[in-house]
Amino acid sequence: MLIGELSRRTGVSERLLRYYEERELIRAERRANGYREYGEEAEQAVRRIRALLAAGLPLRVVRQILPCSSGEAGLRPCPGVLASLHGQLAVLERRAAELDAARRLLRRTIDVTERAADGGAE
């Protein structure tokens, strides 16, 4: 399929598909006229890439994991993948803790401000 068709099927822009190809996440053959020709597997690969990115994985980890993906079943064992996933989970857990602390602080600030506003309105 041509890049436009892959874009329509996946909802991913042609520009982003070219970027994925440049980063060796997907492959395309070149026709004699220079057009990119993607195999049917490219659609599933793009969907996996989008899902992994949505899960918070950086592109370098996605690149490592993608060859290990086995469709809907998840991942098959590949060297280093589990360590990368644990590392990324630790990063996300730290970020979640930081966001939780910021949310608590903001709530306290709102509470104090509302109480001050209620006291000043009397």
Side-chain angles (χ1 to χ4, degrees):
M1 83 187 85
L2 296 178
I3 194 168
E5 177 66 17
L6 182 58
S7 176
R8 280 188 292 284
R9 287 186 184 187
T10 61
V12 174
S13 72
E14 292 180 18
R15 181 177 179 192
L16 192 51
L17 292 172
R18 285 189 289 273
Y19 177 75
Y20 290 164
E21 185 182 348
E22 186 181 291
R23 296 290 181 227
E24 300 178 354
L25 297 171
I26 58 174
R27 286 187 57 245
E29 300 295 323
R30 290 293 186 150
R31 291 181 169 183
N33 62 6
Y35 287 12
R36 291 171 169 83
E37 178 79 29
Y38 294 92
E40 291 300 317
E41 73 285 350
E43 181 178 352
Q44 189 61 33
V46 170
R47 293 187 191 288
R48 280 189 218 116
I49 292 165
R50 300 303 298 161
L52 292 167
L53 291 171
L57 297 173
L59 219 58
R60 66 176 170 70
V61 175
V62 171
R63 185 180 304 107
Q64 181 185 13
I65 291 173
L66 203 56
C68 305
S69 62
S70 54
E72 300 298 319
L75 300 173
R76 62 182 189 274
C78 283
V81 168
L82 193 54
S84 292
L85 292 174
H86 279 296
Q88 190 58 32
L89 181 58
V91 167
L92 290 175
E93 287 175 346
R94 278 193 305 274
R95 286 177 40 201
E98 291 167 358
L99 285 171
D100 187 50
R103 184 180 64 231
R104 285 192 314 266
L105 176 61
L106 182 56
R107 281 186 179 156
R108 282 194 306 268
T109 303
I110 289 170
D111 289 346
V112 167
T113 304
E114 286 177 341
R115 280 195 303 270
D118 288 344
E122 292 179 21

